[in-house]
Amino acid sequence: INAEYGEKYAIYIEKKSLKDVILPGTHDSATYTLSAKSSIARNQEIPKELGYLRYVFGIGYGITHIIAKWGKAQGKNIKEQLNDGIRYLDLRVVYRDSAKTHYSVHGLYGQS
């Protein structure tokens, strides 16, 4: 799949309804920024006890490292994904009152 996907296959899909077209997409598209330095996101399906361990001396980095490895579904940024031909993005976005901005999220907060 590449950026010419639509152009290359236009003749096959131009008269089809959307339900009959396969769009290449990525799961958790904005997780490429997750790292062990990311903050644990609130209201995620992470046991609160595991979240508390982050604040215990010497354990925090290890816990977020594990969560980041589990939560990071993409290694390319959005522009790179689109340039590779991806046409459907699964974006999970939250608004953090404390920072007054939006963040990507999947277990951890990504970049704003």
Side-chain angles (χ1 to χ4, degrees):
I1 296 174
N2 56 34
E4 290 80 34
Y5 172 82
E7 190 175 307
K8 183 177 179 180
Y9 295 103
I11 191 168
Y12 302 107
I13 62 176
E14 64 186 7
K15 295 187 181 184
K16 293 187 181 283
S17 68
L18 186 56
K19 69 177 181 64
D20 295 323
V21 177
I22 296 172
L23 295 174
T26 52
H27 173 67
D28 286 318
S29 306
T31 59
Y32 58 91
T33 64
L34 296 183
S35 74
K37 295 180 181 179
S38 300
S39 298
I40 295 175
R42 294 179 62 199
N43 301 323
Q44 298 298 299
E45 294 179 8
I46 297 170
K48 64 181 176 181
E49 294 80 14
L50 189 59
Y52 294 144
L53 286 176
R54 176 168 193 214
Y55 303 103
V56 175
F57 182 77
I59 296 180
Y61 179 83
I63 296 299
T64 53
H65 181 73
I66 292 167
I67 296 170
K69 287 184 85 171
W70 161 78
K72 187 175 183 176
Q74 302 303 325
K76 294 183 176 184
N77 66 36
I78 300 296
K79 183 178 179 182
E80 291 169 325
Q81 291 175 51
L82 292 172
N83 285 341
D84 285 347
I86 297 303
R87 294 298 175 259
Y88 175 85
L89 300 171
D90 172 18
L91 299 173
R92 298 166 192 225
V93 179
V94 297
Y95 181 78
R96 290 181 73 180
D97 288 331
S98 61
K100 304 290 186 225
T101 192
H102 292 84
Y103 287 83
S104 62
V105 66
H106 190 227
L108 301 172
Y109 291 116
Q111 289 183 340
S112 61

